[in-house]
Amino acid sequence: VQLQASGGGLVQAGGSLRLSCVASGRAFSSYVMGWFRQAPGKEREFVSRITLSGIGVYADSVKGRFTISRDNAKNTVYLQMNSLKPEDTGVYYCGRFVGITYDATNSYGNWGQGTQVTVSS
């Protein structure tokens, strides 16, 4: 499985971005997918994940501002980010759940190249 993330950019605080992650292969509908982010000098951290039935789970820091969704027909998972803050800045990665603990970085694999999100104050 290969994952390709896109949609990042430079935005002012309070603005919005929509990230997309396209997966190769035919089994996308059977994958739990997650979004993570990594700020400079920090570890990669959990942002959100989506279940097979389309239910989103969020880190407390983004709850109420970000919305995850999936389109199985397009092999794509989205992350709608609203009310962006400077602390949301980082490289955003999508990953496929392959492990045991749902919100642990090392439970995800097939990382794509990531997409840069920069929020200016």
Short mmCIF file of all heavy atoms in Angstrom, two decimals, residues 18 22 24-25 28 31 36 41 51 59 64 71-72 77 82 95-96 101 105 121:
data_model
loop_
_atom_site.label_atom_id
_atom_site.label_comp_id
_atom_site.label_asym_id
_atom_site.label_seq_id
_atom_site.Cartn_x
_atom_site.Cartn_y
_atom_site.Cartn_z
N ARG A 18 -7.80 21.66 3.70
CA ARG A 18 -8.31 20.30 3.59
C ARG A 18 -7.20 19.41 3.05
O ARG A 18 -6.74 19.61 1.92
CB ARG A 18 -9.51 20.24 2.66
CG ARG A 18 -10.22 18.89 2.65
CD ARG A 18 -11.15 18.80 1.46
NE ARG A 18 -12.09 17.70 1.58
CZ ARG A 18 -12.74 17.16 0.54
NH1 ARG A 18 -12.52 17.64 -0.68
NH2 ARG A 18 -13.59 16.17 0.73
N VAL A 22 -4.45 9.70 -0.60
CA VAL A 22 -4.91 8.67 -1.52
C VAL A 22 -4.08 7.41 -1.33
O VAL A 22 -2.84 7.48 -1.26
CB VAL A 22 -4.79 9.16 -2.98
CG1 VAL A 22 -5.28 8.09 -3.93
CG2 VAL A 22 -5.58 10.45 -3.17
N SER A 24 -3.11 3.44 -2.61
CA SER A 24 -3.12 2.50 -3.73
C SER A 24 -3.77 1.21 -3.28
O SER A 24 -3.98 0.97 -2.09
CB SER A 24 -1.70 2.26 -4.21
OG SER A 24 -0.95 1.62 -3.18
N GLY A 25 -4.09 0.36 -4.22
CA GLY A 25 -4.63 -0.96 -3.89
C GLY A 25 -6.14 -1.01 -3.84
O GLY A 25 -6.82 -0.01 -4.02
N PHE A 28 -8.74 -0.63 0.50
CA PHE A 28 -8.78 0.58 1.31
C PHE A 28 -9.93 0.55 2.31
O PHE A 28 -9.80 0.99 3.44
CB PHE A 28 -8.91 1.80 0.41
CG PHE A 28 -9.02 3.10 1.16
CD1 PHE A 28 -7.89 3.68 1.72
CD2 PHE A 28 -10.24 3.75 1.30
CE1 PHE A 28 -7.98 4.88 2.42
CE2 PHE A 28 -10.34 4.94 1.98
CZ PHE A 28 -9.20 5.51 2.55
N TYR A 31 -9.20 -0.68 5.81
CA TYR A 31 -8.14 -0.07 6.58
C TYR A 31 -8.69 0.97 7.56
O TYR A 31 -9.48 1.84 7.16
CB TYR A 31 -7.13 0.66 5.68
CG TYR A 31 -6.46 -0.16 4.62
CD1 TYR A 31 -6.00 0.45 3.45
CD2 TYR A 31 -6.27 -1.52 4.75
CE1 TYR A 31 -5.37 -0.29 2.47
CE2 TYR A 31 -5.65 -2.28 3.77
CZ TYR A 31 -5.21 -1.65 2.63
OH TYR A 31 -4.59 -2.39 1.65
N PHE A 36 -1.38 11.96 11.38
CA PHE A 36 -0.43 12.35 12.40
C PHE A 36 0.28 13.62 11.94
O PHE A 36 0.21 13.96 10.76
CB PHE A 36 0.60 11.24 12.63
CG PHE A 36 0.04 10.02 13.33
CD1 PHE A 36 -0.83 9.17 12.67
CD2 PHE A 36 0.40 9.74 14.63
CE1 PHE A 36 -1.35 8.06 13.32
CE2 PHE A 36 -0.11 8.63 15.29
CZ PHE A 36 -0.99 7.79 14.62
N GLY A 41 11.52 19.51 15.48
CA GLY A 41 12.12 19.20 16.76
C GLY A 41 11.25 18.39 17.69
O GLY A 41 11.64 18.13 18.84
N THR A 51 -12.54 5.07 11.67
CA THR A 51 -12.84 3.64 11.72
C THR A 51 -13.35 3.16 10.36
O THR A 51 -13.59 3.94 9.44
CB THR A 51 -13.89 3.36 12.78
OG1 THR A 51 -15.14 3.95 12.37
CG2 THR A 51 -13.50 3.95 14.13
N ALA A 59 -7.52 13.83 18.59
CA ALA A 59 -6.72 14.29 19.72
C ALA A 59 -7.43 15.49 20.35
O ALA A 59 -8.13 16.24 19.66
CB ALA A 59 -5.33 14.71 19.24
N GLY A 64 -13.18 19.39 17.70
CA GLY A 64 -14.06 20.53 17.44
C GLY A 64 -13.60 21.42 16.31
O GLY A 64 -14.34 22.28 15.84
N ASP A 71 -13.62 8.41 1.71
CA ASP A 71 -14.39 8.06 0.53
C ASP A 71 -13.78 6.78 -0.01
O ASP A 71 -12.75 6.81 -0.71
CB ASP A 71 -14.33 9.19 -0.50
CG ASP A 71 -15.22 8.93 -1.71
OD1 ASP A 71 -15.54 7.76 -1.98
OD2 ASP A 71 -15.57 9.91 -2.39
N ASN A 72 -14.39 5.67 0.31
CA ASN A 72 -13.82 4.38 -0.08
C ASN A 72 -13.81 4.19 -1.60
O ASN A 72 -12.94 3.49 -2.13
CB ASN A 72 -14.57 3.24 0.59
CG ASN A 72 -14.33 3.20 2.09
OD1 ASN A 72 -13.31 3.68 2.59
ND2 ASN A 72 -15.27 2.64 2.83
N VAL A 77 -8.77 9.39 2.22
CA VAL A 77 -9.15 9.89 3.53
C VAL A 77 -8.82 11.38 3.56
O VAL A 77 -7.81 11.82 3.02
CB VAL A 77 -8.44 9.13 4.67
CG1 VAL A 77 -6.93 9.22 4.56
CG2 VAL A 77 -8.91 9.62 6.03
N ASN A 82 -10.18 23.39 10.35
CA ASN A 82 -10.74 24.74 10.50
C ASN A 82 -10.15 25.41 11.73
O ASN A 82 -9.58 24.76 12.60
CB ASN A 82 -12.26 24.67 10.61
CG ASN A 82 -12.92 24.08 9.39
OD1 ASN A 82 -12.43 24.20 8.26
ND2 ASN A 82 -14.05 23.41 9.59
N GLY A 95 -1.38 7.49 7.65
CA GLY A 95 -0.85 6.15 7.83
C GLY A 95 -1.98 5.14 7.92
O GLY A 95 -3.12 5.48 8.24
N ARG A 96 -1.61 3.92 7.64
CA ARG A 96 -2.56 2.81 7.74
C ARG A 96 -2.31 2.07 9.04
O ARG A 96 -1.16 1.75 9.38
CB ARG A 96 -2.39 1.86 6.55
CG ARG A 96 -3.30 0.64 6.58
CD ARG A 96 -3.18 -0.16 5.30
NE ARG A 96 -1.91 -0.87 5.20
CZ ARG A 96 -1.75 -2.16 5.52
NH1 ARG A 96 -2.76 -2.85 6.02
NH2 ARG A 96 -0.58 -2.74 5.35
N THR A 101 -2.26 -0.67 19.26
CA THR A 101 -2.81 0.50 19.96
C THR A 101 -3.18 1.57 18.95
O THR A 101 -2.32 2.08 18.24
CB THR A 101 -1.77 1.06 20.95
OG1 THR A 101 -1.35 0.03 21.83
CG2 THR A 101 -2.38 2.20 21.75
N THR A 105 1.84 6.04 17.39
CA THR A 105 2.49 6.25 16.10
C THR A 105 3.03 4.95 15.53
O THR A 105 2.92 4.69 14.33
CB THR A 105 3.63 7.27 16.26
OG1 THR A 105 3.10 8.48 16.81
CG2 THR A 105 4.27 7.59 14.92
N SER A 121 0.76 33.54 12.45
CA SER A 121 -0.04 34.26 13.46
C SER A 121 -0.35 35.68 13.02
O SER A 121 0.14 36.15 12.01
CB SER A 121 0.72 34.29 14.78
OG SER A 121 1.99 34.87 14.60
#
